[in-house]
DNA sequence: CGCCTATTTGATCTGATTCAAACAATGTGG
DNA sequence: CCACATTGTTTGAATCAGATCAAATAGGCG
């Protein structure tokens, strides 16, 4: 069950066995959330971090007019909450999209982790940097693409990230969201999501039934989306070995 | 001239005199950029970081259809480039909006800084976290607000951030952008930016001439924008003293 | 002055919203 | 195992916010 989590931590950093073990030892205390449940809410000052082990979650902000803007989907291996370890007050809410299993880690344990393995702060920092890159891409997506390629891009991103943690095949993955949630993520109405989904289906670029998405022609879909995965910074572990160590000494 | 920079570093962390001095010593080598010039481009693998000392800059991504999506404006004191210190490849471009003065810092010096003052990595991490929060808010802005409040929100954010580094008064600040750039930031057409600006002017909520913005009724503008500054995490230094130290030991 | 760039205006068109209702699917208890 | 309730998807029609196109005006500046 921790597979995805460890795969995620592995990407982009070369960790020692001791560091790997230290991280794994944090994931002992877990909680379940039901689909639709809020794990944490905007304005809170949490006392512990969250790591998603199983299921699909999202970050969102409530909008004045009763709506919701989703700003990211999170998948197994992702830190759901690490911001407030440094920033204290949470500036957005975190919700379970499907049923979720989540590890909770008191801040005090993070303190001890980083004291014992200072190098790991770099790994956490790296994670935050990638987070930022994903949000930037989301801005591009919502700000600059029409609804069809916007949807395509969102799907390509989710697919690529699930693939990175071993939860997708080359052309298929589990993505249990409602069309309403898709709309809240893309900043378009539910009705229009439906029409965009249908458009992609008719072009033979997408199948999407009961929470399972399939890309009949992955490359054409990525092309329509203008999807370039660079921003996800999912690096091949082999390429990195030795690199950081040069710098970090 | 370094005032804004130091003010920025000061927020949210309590630094020792030695740390402050170490940071200041990084800002010795500077470069000038003309308005409209790219400082770094998407896909590059920079060898040094950038800190903005003077002027206005932005991050953007070129869109397939020849457009540009701006995803943030940066002001004096901001790290323009720190991502690639960890992530290597830059996933967006950085451009001077007005004439800019920028400090360049070779990665090797960052290495040495962090070796000498490991605590500072936490400050850099913090900065990255806030960056992420700003991008998230940008997603909300572009995804969930209509053009008038979208513009209002953008202006409120810029104003608040300039205020934090001593570059704005309560109701006035220098913001030398064209309406085209505003459109690229908000994901709307130039023509529509113009109409939105006029709408705010007519309601007596905005004056905007030759790069100088003024808020005749700041509170009403913030209300229209739905602006809540929490996400900027501009904390009163007094409140923080002693807090981090408890945790960090 | 004359050039170039930025702002403004008007007219027309369109992608997306909204409202309202029908139609699956899925789950629940009797 | 069926009847009913609930939640999600689909469809159609009317409407609107914002885009597009094209041209006029206004500033700044060598």
């Amino acid at each position: 069950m921790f597979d995805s989590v460890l795969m995620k931590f592995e990407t982009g950093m070369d960790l020692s066995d001791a560091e790997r073990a230290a991280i794994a030892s944090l994931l002992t205390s877990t909680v379940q959330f039901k689909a639709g449940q809020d794990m944490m809410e905007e304005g809170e000052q949490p006392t512990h971090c969250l790591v998603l082990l199983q299921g699909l979650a999202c970050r969102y902000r409530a909008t004045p007019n009763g709506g919701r803007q989703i700003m990211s989907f999170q998948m197994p291996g992702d830190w759901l909450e690490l911001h407030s370890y440094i920033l204290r007050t949470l500036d957005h809410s975190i919700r379970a999209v499907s049923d979720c299993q989540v590890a909770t880690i008191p801040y005090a344990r993070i303190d001890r982790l980083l004291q014992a393995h200072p190098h790991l702060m770099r790994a956490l920092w790296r994670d935050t940097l990638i987070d930022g890159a994903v949000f930037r891409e989301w801005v591009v997506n919502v700000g600059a693409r029409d609804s069809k390629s916007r949807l395509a891009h969102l799907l390509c991103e989710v697919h690529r990230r699930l693939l990175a943690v071993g939860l997708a095949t080359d052309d298929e993955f589990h993505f249990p969201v409602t069309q309403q949630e898709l709309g809240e993520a893309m900043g378009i109405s539910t009705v229009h999501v439906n029409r965009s989904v249908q458009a992609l289906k008719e072009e033979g670029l997408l199948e999407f039934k009961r929470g399972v998405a399939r890309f009949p022609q992955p490359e054409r879909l990525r092309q329509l989306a203008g999807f370039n995965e660079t921003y996800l910074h999912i690096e091949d572990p082999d390429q990195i070995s030795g690199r950081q160590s040069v710098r970090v000494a």
Side-chain angles (χ1 to χ4, degrees), chain A:
Chain A
M1 170 176 52
F2 294 150
D3 290 359
S4 325
V5 182
L6 290 175
M7 279 180 80
K8 177 78 189 305
F9 280 114
E10 212 57 50
T11 20
M13 298 292 296
D14 48 317
L15 304 179
S16 69
D17 291 342
E19 287 167 339
R20 240 187 304 275
I23 289 172
S25 78
L26 292 178
L27 307 176
T28 48
S29 156
T30 70
V31 197
Q32 299 284 142
F33 290 97
K34 286 262 163 242
Q37 225 181 327
D38 277 329
M39 302 184 189
M40 284 182 169
E41 281 178 73
E42 188 182 342
E44 258 184 67
Q45 304 204 345
T47 59
H48 53 275
C49 297
L50 303 177
V51 173
L52 185 56
L53 299 180
Q54 253 181 29
L56 181 69
C58 73
R59 305 179 188 287
Y60 73 92
R61 281 273 306 270
T63 60
N65 42 322
R68 202 191 314 282
Q69 175 69 44
I70 293 177
M71 34 216 182
S72 75
F73 288 109
Q74 305 295 149
M75 35 222 69
D78 290 344
W79 286 91
L80 290 180
E81 222 307 282
L82 186 55
H83 307 81
S84 57
Y85 174 62
I86 299 289
L87 297 178
R88 291 191 79 195
T89 305
L90 205 54
D91 55 41
H92 61 276
S93 302
I94 302 167
R95 150 171 312 202
V97 173
S98 67
D99 291 351
C100 287
Q101 186 181 17
V102 174
T104 66
I105 310 170
Y107 290 154
R109 294 207 59 185
I110 306 277
D111 288 341
R112 272 183 277 139
L113 175 79
L114 293 179
Q115 261 163 23
H117 306 277
H119 179 60
L120 281 180
M121 189 183 286
R122 194 175 278 260
L124 298 184
W125 182 15
R126 181 174 200 279
D127 197 81
T128 303
L129 278 160
I130 295 177
D131 248 47
V134 173
F135 294 129
R136 279 194 294 277
E137 187 63 35
W138 209 276
V139 172
V140 176
N141 205 28
V142 174
R145 281 187 256 267
D146 65 23
S147 63
K148 223 169 58 179
S149 41
R150 197 182 297 188
L151 172 60
H153 195 281
L154 170 56
L155 292 170
C156 287
E157 177 186 309
V158 171
H159 173 250
R160 186 63 189 85
R161 289 170 61 195
L162 286 174
L163 196 62
V165 290
L167 292 173
T169 68
D170 276 352
D171 68 345
E172 199 172 274
F173 57 104
H174 199 61
F175 189 38
V177 287
T178 65
Q179 295 188 350
Q180 184 179 4
E181 286 160 337
L182 284 176
E184 289 167 348
M186 299 192 293
I188 65 180
S189 70
T190 309
V191 171
H192 203 61
V193 170
N194 186 275
R195 287 174 176 139
S196 305
V197 169
Q198 285 180 53
L200 289 183
K201 281 180 179 170
E202 271 159 33
E203 291 181 51
L205 296 178
L206 176 66
E207 291 166 25
F208 200 174
K209 276 192 213 101
R210 265 169 279 110
V212 177
R214 210 176 78 78
F215 299 165
Q217 308 177 66
E219 204 37 63
R220 282 199 50 214
L221 187 70
R222 282 190 275 268
Q223 201 178 330
L224 172 73
F227 182 72
N228 174 342
E229 72 176 57
T230 311
Y231 75 96
L232 291 173
H233 297 275
I234 300 171
E235 301 179 35
D236 179 354
D238 298 337
Q239 293 190 330
I240 328 156
S241 304
R243 170 165 67 80
Q244 294 287 350
S245 43
V246 171
R247 236 187 249 151
V248 181

